[in-house]
Amino acid sequence: MARSLLEQRRLGEQLHYEEFGSGLRAFVLPKRGFQTRYATFATRYGSNDQSFVDSTGVRHDTPAGIAHFLEHKLFEEEGGNVSERFSALGAMANAYTNYTATTYLFSTASRFPEALQLLLEFVQHPYFTPQSVEKEQGIIEQELRMYLDDPRVAVFQNLMEALYHHHPVRVEIGGTVESIRQITADDLYLCYRTFYHPSNMVFFATGDVAPDAVFSAIHRLVPGERRAPVQRVRPAEPAAVRTELVRRAMPVGVPLIDIGFKDEPDREDPLRREVEMEILLDCLFGTSSDIYQTLYEEGLLSEHFAASYFSGEDFAASVLGGPSPDPDRLRERILTLLAAQREGGLSVEAVERSRRKSIGEFVALFNSPEAVAHSFSEYALRGLDLFAALAALDRVRYEDIARRFEEHLAQPRVAASIIVRTGEHAQ
Amino acid sequence: MAFERTRLSDGADLFFWPTKKFKTTTVRVLLRQPLADGAGEGALLPMVVRRGTRSLPRPVELARALDNLYGADLRGDVIKLGEEQVLIFHVEATSGAYLGGEDPLRGAVDLLGDVLFDPLLEDGGFAPAFVAQERENLLRRIQGIYSDKAHYAQLRLIEEMCPGENYAIPRLGRPEEVEALTPVTLYERWQRILRTAPIAVYIVGDLPPERAQDEAQRLLSRLGRRSPARPGAASRHEAPAQLRRVTDHQPVSQGKLAFGFTADRRADSPDYPALVMMNGIYGGFSHSKLFQEVRERHSLAYYAYSQIDGLKGLVFVQSGIEFEHRAQAEEIILAQLEAMRRGEFREQEVRDTLAGIESQILQSADAPSEAIMTDFELRASGRPTDPEARIATLRRVDAEAIAQAARGVRLDTVYFLDGQEGS
């Protein structure tokens, strides 16, 4: 049992860490003065993990949306739903699934120890029956239909399908109405046994909490022996994009566009890569950039335009976009202005400005216990340390950002996804 | 959380909460206006003044000045509060303590002051180029609501439920009005707002009180002579003689079923806490009747909730459902209200609701913007702001009072966003 204290003097934070015999890694970040006590219990299992090899060497290909379905069903217990027991404690429980992780959480202003025990217990106690699986299909179907009507979801989903040939990041996190109908209670148990082992999980708590009490609750309630990592099956993904442009019509008020630049993931130092990319994208497309200001004045984008680096262990892309009255023109202009920017190069001042902005924003993240818990936990599941981002920001040099510009955006493997209004040049 | 109030000038007050909890200092200026005075102008103003000032006339200069202050966040927006529109100007700067001693706050407050009192002008109005651009952006934001079907359904419900009432004026105004304004009329409106609107300056952060006072005084030092108006209460909603039913059709995958009810009390009533408890048991939480019946028991929806507008005295319900489940969902949703009226809820439901609302009240002090808006809205509706006092009034509500509040809730309008006919 390894216990340590990571002091972040500069941030005025102390992070307590312990790795248990079960392989579970747990972090506690005490924040005095906050009413919200917040805990997350997350597993490195997301929609990307549809195909895997079990401990006996057998390969399984499961239906799309199963990680998300399992997240819903874990709340079910014999004779009820565990949410109600959180409610009775004045706590709110929730969960979410993304491409790489499933996270269970609660927040409460009172009775933290009871809620903590409940969280640790329910995530370790699956209870699925054919009837309860069928019942959940109706609920999830409505959740999926809600997203189907959301053009922001559609524009991003279509971009993923355009960027990727085979990588599972091109599949909807929640699956489809058809794929979730194939899910059985046995499938859920199989995935549960494969991915919900403490060795594959991370716990994080923050707020006015005592680290010792949290660690001893985990010690008591999360037994088990360390286990070898799960073998995840990933098809080989070509470097090129699959389609350059996808266009769809929806009943929207204003058209939308997302543009993606496909990148090779950095397996050596992914944290540094992310820090550098956030700075590069801010220099190129942030509110202080020439490109943003030019396109704003041309009326092609609004304050809702955003650029960010979308990446995980084995996928990476820069994604930029937002609502635009003329997405085709915006796409063309972005590519032209980007080429011109390459000729002119980035200014040293722009890089320094973006670096300062990133530092300020990183510090501000610690205002929010929820935001810290989610970011920290996501990084920890990948074996990365969120705190190290601050040191990486300090080390950023102009040459690194300029090099990234050349490597990533100079030979753009670029795709665009456009949503137009129903009835307007639909194809 | 306790905001200390200090008078700054006529109708302008500082509300300061000194706290070491956050790593930023937040300064927020809130200006109250009747929605009826031109909501489109009100919505456009924060967008236009944010573009450029006399000393930083090019938008890129203002953006760079903020980024150099470690990414100080300067924004403007509007919210709807009953039949008022509140113009919000917000600046948030990371505390110098975490930046090796450099303190961006003063610079950030100066930029906010320039935005408010020294915007870029031309020929007695705002810079026409800024007005033209932001007018287009605002029109697009208004059109964009159509893309968010839950939001759109709620807006359509209110439009159909409250025709002719100021309450039906949308937060961002109406396109006709936005199209008609000019740089000069818009600037005149801005001058009028600065002269007459009640102003609240909120500051949250780790500052000594003198420093907060000093920043607020400096921020408003260019505010001229004022004749502040007194905000009036929202008008009473006129219930229709018979139930209104409205259906729209769009090529969507999911129907949105939305209900508007009138309540017999508003936020300033001593009986209001009973309505808050009733709403919580009915549809405020995942343990509530709507969630339990519509989602968990009948698998009809992913979401089903209720909410109150306390300033106007209305209750709203919404759920996203399969088109053909409309009648069944409506029956279940209304049956839950009937059950509430008959007092059919368990001790446990009351206790869970109370615990949930208590948590919400306490947790609102954990984010600067939320703490500010909670305090502001409570004051605007004449309710106590102290969390413990609020919790105490809710604890005193008994089951009969909750059932009585439910009996005062009457269905007024049902809106349904249906799929395309024939598809």
Side-chain angles (χ1 to χ4, degrees), chain A residues 10-11 13 33 35-36 87-88 90 135 142-143 149 251 253-254 288 290 296-297 299 353 356 360 367, chain B residues 21 23-24 51 63-64 67-68 94 102 134 137 143 147 149 253-254 287 296 299 302 322 352 359 366:
Chain A
R10 191 159 145 209
L11 287 169
E13 304 281 1
Q35 299 284 344
T36 310
S87 279
K135 190 207 89 176
Q142 290 312 313
E143 183 179 1
D149 286 335
V254 180
S288 285
D290 293 326
Y296 193 105
E297 278 175 30
R353 199 166 46 231
R356 285 165 76 101
N367 267 6
Chain B
K21 238 161 109 164
K23 291 182 160 55
T24 56
R51 293 287 280 149
R64 287 178 184 172
D67 282 0
N68 277 326
T94 300
E102 272 187 80
E134 296 309 323
N137 285 336
Q143 286 165 4
S147 305
K149 301 307 171 192
S253 311
Q254 182 177 71
H287 66 257
E296 294 299 318
S299 303
Y302 175 62
E322 206 69 47
D352 291 358
S359 265
D366 281 350

Side-chain angles (χ1 to χ4, degrees), chain B residues 150-166:
Chain B
H151 186 178
Y152 178 78
Q154 178 68 10
L155 213 72
R156 285 283 296 123
L157 169 70
I158 290 171
E159 196 173 82
E160 294 290 342
M161 181 171 171
C162 307
E165 294 177 44
N166 289 333

Side-chain angles (χ1 to χ4, degrees), chain A residues 209-257:
Chain A
V209 294
D212 287 340
V214 173
F215 290 134
S216 79
I218 293 173
H219 189 66
R220 195 160 42 85
L221 297 166
V222 188
E225 305 261 310
R226 192 181 303 275
R227 207 171 71 177
V230 186
Q231 277 188 59
R232 299 155 206 259
V233 178
R234 290 283 192 280
E237 173 65 30
V241 303
R242 186 170 148 268
T243 324
E244 281 183 9
L245 180 64
V246 270
R247 188 194 299 275
R248 209 185 116 195
M250 285 179 78
V252 293
V254 180
L256 284 114
I257 180 167

Side-chain angles (χ1 to χ4, degrees), chain B residues 267-280:
Chain B
D268 55 1
S269 151
D271 298 330
Y272 185 67
L275 183 64
V276 173
M277 287 297 296
M278 129 72 206
N279 175 64

